Amino acid sequence: MPYAPYGHHKPCPVVVSPVDSCVVEALMSLMGKIVILETTRGRLDGCVLDVKQDHVVLEERHKKFFVRIAEIVWIMPD
């Protein structure tokens, strides 16, 4: 475990966010298209506006949603 510099013995927190490259690639291929996303919090359907390594921007009824990739259960093109 990494330690703070200068001899301090307090451990530094390390944040690790895995990148699901297959999901990111699938979403990138659907840019500009309507999709249905099932997330751990429910279902969203809308147009894929942007895709980053950790989230996707979906527009549904003129509202933008920023959905974490890690929260996506499945994707279906509409």
PDB file of all heavy atoms in Angstrom, residues 14-38:
ATOM      1  N   VAL A  14      -5.967   4.987  -2.544  1.00  0.00           N
ATOM      2  CA  VAL A  14      -5.768   4.803  -3.977  1.00  0.00           C
ATOM      3  C   VAL A  14      -7.122   4.486  -4.578  1.00  0.00           C
ATOM      4  O   VAL A  14      -7.784   3.539  -4.160  1.00  0.00           O
ATOM      5  CB  VAL A  14      -4.778   3.652  -4.262  1.00  0.00           C
ATOM      6  CG1 VAL A  14      -4.644   3.415  -5.756  1.00  0.00           C
ATOM      7  CG2 VAL A  14      -3.424   3.948  -3.636  1.00  0.00           C
ATOM      8  N   VAL A  15      -7.536   5.301  -5.546  1.00  0.00           N
ATOM      9  CA  VAL A  15      -8.815   5.085  -6.208  1.00  0.00           C
ATOM     10  C   VAL A  15      -8.556   4.365  -7.521  1.00  0.00           C
ATOM     11  O   VAL A  15      -7.758   4.824  -8.333  1.00  0.00           O
ATOM     12  CB  VAL A  15      -9.542   6.423  -6.475  1.00  0.00           C
ATOM     13  CG1 VAL A  15     -10.845   6.192  -7.217  1.00  0.00           C
ATOM     14  CG2 VAL A  15      -9.771   7.164  -5.171  1.00  0.00           C
ATOM     15  N   VAL A  16      -9.215   3.241  -7.702  1.00  0.00           N
ATOM     16  CA  VAL A  16      -9.060   2.475  -8.931  1.00  0.00           C
ATOM     17  C   VAL A  16     -10.423   2.369  -9.583  1.00  0.00           C
ATOM     18  O   VAL A  16     -11.375   1.907  -8.967  1.00  0.00           O
ATOM     19  CB  VAL A  16      -8.520   1.049  -8.632  1.00  0.00           C
ATOM     20  CG1 VAL A  16      -8.420   0.242  -9.908  1.00  0.00           C
ATOM     21  CG2 VAL A  16      -7.191   1.131  -7.920  1.00  0.00           C
ATOM     22  N   SER A  17     -10.525   2.853 -10.838  1.00  0.00           N
ATOM     23  CA  SER A  17     -11.776   2.682 -11.547  1.00  0.00           C
ATOM     24  C   SER A  17     -11.498   1.874 -12.803  1.00  0.00           C
ATOM     25  O   SER A  17     -10.834   2.361 -13.706  1.00  0.00           O
ATOM     26  CB  SER A  17     -12.432   3.981 -11.942  1.00  0.00           C
ATOM     27  OG  SER A  17     -11.733   5.089 -11.639  1.00  0.00           O
ATOM     28  N   PRO A  18     -11.989   0.661 -12.838  1.00  0.00           N
ATOM     29  CA  PRO A  18     -11.750  -0.172 -14.002  1.00  0.00           C
ATOM     30  C   PRO A  18     -12.465   0.393 -15.228  1.00  0.00           C
ATOM     31  O   PRO A  18     -13.558   0.938 -15.116  1.00  0.00           O
ATOM     32  CB  PRO A  18     -12.325  -1.527 -13.618  1.00  0.00           C
ATOM     33  CG  PRO A  18     -13.276  -1.244 -12.522  1.00  0.00           C
ATOM     34  CD  PRO A  18     -12.811   0.019 -11.845  1.00  0.00           C
ATOM     35  N   VAL A  19     -11.824   0.296 -16.358  1.00  0.00           N
ATOM     36  CA  VAL A  19     -12.409   0.758 -17.619  1.00  0.00           C
ATOM     37  C   VAL A  19     -12.925  -0.478 -18.349  1.00  0.00           C
ATOM     38  O   VAL A  19     -12.180  -1.420 -18.570  1.00  0.00           O
ATOM     39  CB  VAL A  19     -11.356   1.484 -18.477  1.00  0.00           C
ATOM     40  CG1 VAL A  19     -11.922   1.834 -19.841  1.00  0.00           C
ATOM     41  CG2 VAL A  19     -10.845   2.715 -17.768  1.00  0.00           C
ATOM     42  N   ASP A  20     -14.202  -0.471 -18.664  1.00  0.00           N
ATOM     43  CA  ASP A  20     -14.781  -1.574 -19.426  1.00  0.00           C
ATOM     44  C   ASP A  20     -14.744  -1.183 -20.897  1.00  0.00           C
ATOM     45  O   ASP A  20     -15.690  -0.599 -21.431  1.00  0.00           O
ATOM     46  CB  ASP A  20     -16.208  -1.848 -18.955  1.00  0.00           C
ATOM     47  CG  ASP A  20     -16.717  -3.191 -19.422  1.00  0.00           C
ATOM     48  OD1 ASP A  20     -16.228  -3.693 -20.461  1.00  0.00           O
ATOM     49  OD2 ASP A  20     -17.596  -3.741 -18.757  1.00  0.00           O
ATOM     50  N   SER A  21     -13.611  -1.491 -21.535  1.00  0.00           N
ATOM     51  CA  SER A  21     -13.379  -1.021 -22.908  1.00  0.00           C
ATOM     52  C   SER A  21     -14.402  -1.565 -23.900  1.00  0.00           C
ATOM     53  O   SER A  21     -14.727  -0.891 -24.882  1.00  0.00           O
ATOM     54  CB  SER A  21     -11.963  -1.360 -23.367  1.00  0.00           C
ATOM     55  OG  SER A  21     -11.730  -2.740 -23.263  1.00  0.00           O
ATOM     56  N   CYS A  22     -14.936  -2.752 -23.667  1.00  0.00           N
ATOM     57  CA  CYS A  22     -15.948  -3.306 -24.581  1.00  0.00           C
ATOM     58  C   CYS A  22     -17.234  -2.480 -24.541  1.00  0.00           C
ATOM     59  O   CYS A  22     -17.833  -2.210 -25.584  1.00  0.00           O
ATOM     60  CB  CYS A  22     -16.244  -4.759 -24.226  1.00  0.00           C
ATOM     61  SG  CYS A  22     -14.868  -5.858 -24.533  1.00  0.00           S
ATOM     62  N   VAL A  23     -17.638  -2.068 -23.357  1.00  0.00           N
ATOM     63  CA  VAL A  23     -18.846  -1.251 -23.222  1.00  0.00           C
ATOM     64  C   VAL A  23     -18.606   0.127 -23.821  1.00  0.00           C
ATOM     65  O   VAL A  23     -19.464   0.666 -24.532  1.00  0.00           O
ATOM     66  CB  VAL A  23     -19.295  -1.150 -21.747  1.00  0.00           C
ATOM     67  CG1 VAL A  23     -20.464  -0.196 -21.589  1.00  0.00           C
ATOM     68  CG2 VAL A  23     -19.656  -2.522 -21.213  1.00  0.00           C
ATOM     69  N   VAL A  24     -17.431   0.698 -23.578  1.00  0.00           N
ATOM     70  CA  VAL A  24     -17.093   2.008 -24.149  1.00  0.00           C
ATOM     71  C   VAL A  24     -17.116   1.929 -25.681  1.00  0.00           C
ATOM     72  O   VAL A  24     -17.702   2.793 -26.344  1.00  0.00           O
ATOM     73  CB  VAL A  24     -15.720   2.501 -23.637  1.00  0.00           C
ATOM     74  CG1 VAL A  24     -15.277   3.748 -24.382  1.00  0.00           C
ATOM     75  CG2 VAL A  24     -15.779   2.764 -22.139  1.00  0.00           C
ATOM     76  N   GLU A  25     -16.521   0.887 -26.255  1.00  0.00           N
ATOM     77  CA  GLU A  25     -16.522   0.713 -27.717  1.00  0.00           C
ATOM     78  C   GLU A  25     -17.941   0.564 -28.253  1.00  0.00           C
ATOM     79  O   GLU A  25     -18.289   1.154 -29.283  1.00  0.00           O
ATOM     80  CB  GLU A  25     -15.711  -0.518 -28.110  1.00  0.00           C
ATOM     81  CG  GLU A  25     -14.236  -0.281 -28.216  1.00  0.00           C
ATOM     82  CD  GLU A  25     -13.512  -1.516 -28.702  1.00  0.00           C
ATOM     83  OE1 GLU A  25     -14.010  -2.177 -29.638  1.00  0.00           O
ATOM     84  OE2 GLU A  25     -12.440  -1.803 -28.143  1.00  0.00           O
ATOM     85  N   ALA A  26     -18.760  -0.238 -27.575  1.00  0.00           N
ATOM     86  CA  ALA A  26     -20.147  -0.432 -28.017  1.00  0.00           C
ATOM     87  C   ALA A  26     -20.901   0.889 -28.013  1.00  0.00           C
ATOM     88  O   ALA A  26     -21.619   1.215 -28.967  1.00  0.00           O
ATOM     89  CB  ALA A  26     -20.842  -1.457 -27.128  1.00  0.00           C
ATOM     90  N   LEU A  27     -20.735   1.661 -26.938  1.00  0.00           N
ATOM     91  CA  LEU A  27     -21.417   2.959 -26.854  1.00  0.00           C
ATOM     92  C   LEU A  27     -20.907   3.924 -27.913  1.00  0.00           C
ATOM     93  O   LEU A  27     -21.689   4.676 -28.497  1.00  0.00           O
ATOM     94  CB  LEU A  27     -21.251   3.547 -25.460  1.00  0.00           C
ATOM     95  CG  LEU A  27     -22.087   2.872 -24.374  1.00  0.00           C
ATOM     96  CD1 LEU A  27     -21.583   3.276 -22.994  1.00  0.00           C
ATOM     97  CD2 LEU A  27     -23.553   3.206 -24.536  1.00  0.00           C
ATOM     98  N   MET A  28     -19.602   3.910 -28.185  1.00  0.00           N
ATOM     99  CA  MET A  28     -19.054   4.800 -29.219  1.00  0.00           C
ATOM    100  C   MET A  28     -19.638   4.464 -30.591  1.00  0.00           C
ATOM    101  O   MET A  28     -19.881   5.361 -31.396  1.00  0.00           O
ATOM    102  CB  MET A  28     -17.534   4.727 -29.235  1.00  0.00           C
ATOM    103  CG  MET A  28     -16.923   5.391 -28.029  1.00  0.00           C
ATOM    104  SD  MET A  28     -15.134   5.272 -28.040  1.00  0.00           S
ATOM    105  CE  MET A  28     -14.729   7.007 -28.037  1.00  0.00           C
ATOM    106  N   SER A  29     -19.885   3.182 -30.845  1.00  0.00           N
ATOM    107  CA  SER A  29     -20.467   2.792 -32.139  1.00  0.00           C
ATOM    108  C   SER A  29     -21.927   3.222 -32.244  1.00  0.00           C
ATOM    109  O   SER A  29     -22.496   3.222 -33.335  1.00  0.00           O
ATOM    110  CB  SER A  29     -20.344   1.281 -32.344  1.00  0.00           C
ATOM    111  OG  SER A  29     -21.263   0.588 -31.531  1.00  0.00           O
ATOM    112  N   LEU A  30     -22.533   3.589 -31.113  1.00  0.00           N
ATOM    113  CA  LEU A  30     -23.934   4.008 -31.089  1.00  0.00           C
ATOM    114  C   LEU A  30     -24.101   5.519 -30.944  1.00  0.00           C
ATOM    115  O   LEU A  30     -25.216   5.995 -30.701  1.00  0.00           O
ATOM    116  CB  LEU A  30     -24.659   3.296 -29.946  1.00  0.00           C
ATOM    117  CG  LEU A  30     -24.751   1.772 -30.099  1.00  0.00           C
ATOM    118  CD1 LEU A  30     -25.189   1.129 -28.790  1.00  0.00           C
ATOM    119  CD2 LEU A  30     -25.688   1.412 -31.235  1.00  0.00           C
ATOM    120  N   MET A  31     -23.017   6.279 -31.089  1.00  0.00           N
ATOM    121  CA  MET A  31     -23.086   7.748 -30.984  1.00  0.00           C
ATOM    122  C   MET A  31     -24.119   8.296 -31.971  1.00  0.00           C
ATOM    123  O   MET A  31     -24.154   7.900 -33.131  1.00  0.00           O
ATOM    124  CB  MET A  31     -21.721   8.371 -31.291  1.00  0.00           C
ATOM    125  CG  MET A  31     -20.715   8.158 -30.201  1.00  0.00           C
ATOM    126  SD  MET A  31     -20.741   9.428 -28.957  1.00  0.00           S
ATOM    127  CE  MET A  31     -20.085  10.788 -29.851  1.00  0.00           C
ATOM    128  N   GLY A  32     -24.983   9.178 -31.470  1.00  0.00           N
ATOM    129  CA  GLY A  32     -26.000   9.800 -32.312  1.00  0.00           C
ATOM    130  C   GLY A  32     -27.244   8.948 -32.498  1.00  0.00           C
ATOM    131  O   GLY A  32     -28.186   9.363 -33.161  1.00  0.00           O
ATOM    132  N   LYS A  33     -27.246   7.748 -31.922  1.00  0.00           N
ATOM    133  CA  LYS A  33     -28.392   6.849 -32.071  1.00  0.00           C
ATOM    134  C   LYS A  33     -29.169   6.742 -30.760  1.00  0.00           C
ATOM    135  O   LYS A  33     -28.642   7.003 -29.685  1.00  0.00           O
ATOM    136  CB  LYS A  33     -27.922   5.468 -32.519  1.00  0.00           C
ATOM    137  CG  LYS A  33     -27.247   5.526 -33.881  1.00  0.00           C
ATOM    138  CD  LYS A  33     -26.847   4.170 -34.348  1.00  0.00           C
ATOM    139  CE  LYS A  33     -26.226   4.335 -35.749  1.00  0.00           C
ATOM    140  NZ  LYS A  33     -25.424   3.229 -36.131  1.00  0.00           N
ATOM    141  N   ILE A  34     -30.426   6.318 -30.872  1.00  0.00           N
ATOM    142  CA  ILE A  34     -31.276   6.100 -29.705  1.00  0.00           C
ATOM    143  C   ILE A  34     -30.974   4.714 -29.135  1.00  0.00           C
ATOM    144  O   ILE A  34     -30.904   3.735 -29.881  1.00  0.00           O
ATOM    145  CB  ILE A  34     -32.776   6.193 -30.082  1.00  0.00           C
ATOM    146  CG1 ILE A  34     -33.092   7.536 -30.743  1.00  0.00           C
ATOM    147  CG2 ILE A  34     -33.659   5.947 -28.861  1.00  0.00           C
ATOM    148  CD1 ILE A  34     -32.927   8.732 -29.844  1.00  0.00           C
ATOM    149  N   VAL A  35     -30.782   4.654 -27.825  1.00  0.00           N
ATOM    150  CA  VAL A  35     -30.514   3.384 -27.154  1.00  0.00           C
ATOM    151  C   VAL A  35     -31.380   3.281 -25.897  1.00  0.00           C
ATOM    152  O   VAL A  35     -31.907   4.273 -25.408  1.00  0.00           O
ATOM    153  CB  VAL A  35     -29.028   3.235 -26.747  1.00  0.00           C
ATOM    154  CG1 VAL A  35     -28.122   3.260 -27.957  1.00  0.00           C
ATOM    155  CG2 VAL A  35     -28.629   4.293 -25.735  1.00  0.00           C
ATOM    156  N   ILE A  36     -31.482   2.072 -25.402  1.00  0.00           N
ATOM    157  CA  ILE A  36     -32.076   1.825 -24.094  1.00  0.00           C
ATOM    158  C   ILE A  36     -30.944   1.328 -23.212  1.00  0.00           C
ATOM    159  O   ILE A  36     -30.223   0.396 -23.581  1.00  0.00           O
ATOM    160  CB  ILE A  36     -33.198   0.779 -24.166  1.00  0.00           C
ATOM    161  CG1 ILE A  36     -34.304   1.260 -25.100  1.00  0.00           C
ATOM    162  CG2 ILE A  36     -33.751   0.481 -22.771  1.00  0.00           C
ATOM    163  CD1 ILE A  36     -35.343   0.196 -25.426  1.00  0.00           C
ATOM    164  N   LEU A  37     -30.751   1.980 -22.061  1.00  0.00           N
ATOM    165  CA  LEU A  37     -29.744   1.564 -21.092  1.00  0.00           C
ATOM    166  C   LEU A  37     -30.454   1.044 -19.861  1.00  0.00           C
ATOM    167  O   LEU A  37     -31.298   1.731 -19.290  1.00  0.00           O
ATOM    168  CB  LEU A  37     -28.867   2.745 -20.652  1.00  0.00           C
ATOM    169  CG  LEU A  37     -27.940   3.401 -21.643  1.00  0.00           C
ATOM    170  CD1 LEU A  37     -27.137   4.492 -20.938  1.00  0.00           C
ATOM    171  CD2 LEU A  37     -27.027   2.401 -22.277  1.00  0.00           C
ATOM    172  N   GLU A  38     -30.118  -0.147 -19.453  1.00  0.00           N
ATOM    173  CA  GLU A  38     -30.590  -0.655 -18.166  1.00  0.00           C
ATOM    174  C   GLU A  38     -29.450  -0.417 -17.187  1.00  0.00           C
ATOM    175  O   GLU A  38     -28.321  -0.842 -17.411  1.00  0.00           O
ATOM    176  CB  GLU A  38     -30.914  -2.149 -18.248  1.00  0.00           C
ATOM    177  CG  GLU A  38     -31.415  -2.729 -16.956  1.00  0.00           C
ATOM    178  CD  GLU A  38     -32.815  -2.248 -16.595  1.00  0.00           C
ATOM    179  OE1 GLU A  38     -33.634  -1.965 -17.492  1.00  0.00           O
ATOM    180  OE2 GLU A  38     -33.094  -2.186 -15.389  1.00  0.00           O
TER     181      GLU A  38
END
